[in-house]
Amino acid sequence: MPNPGSAMAMGAIQVVIPARDERETIGHVIGQLRRQGLDRIRVVDNGSRDGTATIARQLGAEVLREPRPGYGRACWLGCLDLAPDVDWLLFCDGDGGDPLEELPRFLELIDDHDLLLGDRTATAVGRASLTPLQRGGNRLATTLIGLGWGFRYRDMGPLRLVRREAFAAMALRDRGYGWTLEMQVRAIELALRIREVPISHRPRLAGASKISGRWGASLRAGWVILTTLGGLWMRRVLRRGQRR
């Protein structure tokens, strides 16, 4: 059970879960969050056709509808109209892979950080959960960010906790799968206090991945990495030029 200090921190967290066709797993995810003392749970239904939204609503989650496809678009909708006392945003997937029972380790670090990221590559269980395509995408993204911005991340995973003020300062523009990339790049540019937290990520509990394991989708994801980081680099160059 969370201690009183943890309970207070949990009350200041808004959970955002972008979900599409996660009927078989969304109940598990909501249950895990509730067991950690998290009550502000938003499920953003990103065009599901399997009743994901109905299940989430029956379990007491706030359900928002974003029919236009786009991971970042769903995440963005979930961040609008926040209650005044929300201090943190927690992003997680609806497939049951994120080890939400490990969230107390994130809470131990929130006083000294602005962005906490689950690092799947730091544990044997987490590494085993990644497909070769996911590992390749990770290496590509983290290497390019290291070359372009001088900060080497280990992972680009979905489990992330960001301070509300820091999130607002990021002014994220991407509304697709480049959302997570842009968040991590903007965190570097804003000199935020970043920490990657080792987590024992698992493969999705049920259903099919929208990207990993599918060569066509994975190739498109690789293209997203290249074009997103290229665009962010050009924006950085232009900002530098304007300051001269």
Side-chain angles (χ1 to χ4, degrees):
M1 292 293 291
N3 61 42
S6 296
M8 290 178 63
M10 291 296 191
I13 296 174
Q14 173 68 64
V15 181
V16 177
I17 310 172
R20 187 177 72 204
D21 294 332
E22 300 290 8
R23 173 189 175 89
E24 297 176 88
T25 55
I26 195 65
H28 172 83
V29 174
I30 293 171
Q32 273 199 311
L33 292 166
R34 296 256 188 243
R35 283 191 288 275
Q36 294 302 317
L38 288 161
D39 294 318
R40 289 176 162 156
I41 302 172
R42 283 182 173 176
V43 174
V44 184
D45 181 17
N46 197 201
S48 297
R49 294 178 291 180
D50 67 348
T52 296
T54 300
I55 293 172
R57 194 175 290 111
Q58 288 172 346
L59 293 173
E62 179 184 3
V63 176
L64 305 179
R65 183 172 178 270
E66 175 49 87
R68 296 171 296 173
Y71 180 85
R73 187 171 283 116
C75 288
W76 177 252
L77 179 62
C79 299
L80 300 179
D81 300 321
L82 298 172
D85 56 342
V86 168
D87 296 324
W88 291 86
L89 290 161
L90 173 68
F91 299 94
C92 67
D93 276 352
D95 63 9
D98 293 321
L100 300 174
E101 69 277 6
E102 297 178 16
L103 283 175
R105 295 168 56 201
F106 283 65
L107 292 186
E108 294 172 359
L109 302 168
I110 60 175
D111 289 340
D112 301 315
H113 297 87
D114 302 303
L115 176 62
L116 294 162
L117 303 160
D119 179 6
R120 301 166 295 181
T121 71
T123 67
V125 173
R127 288 191 296 273
S129 75
L130 299 176
T131 67
L133 292 171
Q134 287 175 310
R135 289 195 291 271
N138 249 350
R139 283 194 294 270
L140 175 63
T142 56
T143 298
L144 291 176
I145 291 175
L147 291 172
W149 285 267
F151 185 100
R152 185 63 184 262
Y153 288 104
R154 292 172 57 94
D155 197 5
M156 309 298 293
L159 184 60
R160 49 191 60 209
L161 185 63
V162 57
R163 195 180 297 273
R164 180 178 182 172
E165 293 177 356
F167 176 80
M170 291 176 182
L172 301 181
R173 301 181 187 179
D174 196 283
R175 297 295 181 262
Y177 278 105
W179 166 273
T180 54
L181 289 167
E182 186 181 11
M183 180 182 291
Q184 288 178 233
V185 166
R186 289 293 292 142
I188 299 168
E189 294 177 341
L190 293 168
L192 299 182
R193 298 169 297 173
I194 305 165
R195 176 77 172 266
E196 291 186 279
V197 183
I199 59 170
S200 54
H201 190 270
R202 302 171 290 262
R204 64 167 36 249
L205 294 182
S209 170
K210 281 66 175 180
I211 295 183
S212 60
R214 300 183 180 185
W215 280 101
S218 297
L219 289 172
R220 288 194 294 273
W223 178 247
V224 167
I225 290 171
L226 293 173
T227 56
T228 298
L229 292 179
L232 290 168
W233 174 254
M234 288 305 301
R235 278 166 51 186
R236 185 185 185 201
V237 171
L238 289 172
R239 284 197 300 268
R240 284 178 171 178
Q242 291 168 355
R243 288 196 294 265
R244 290 177 181 173

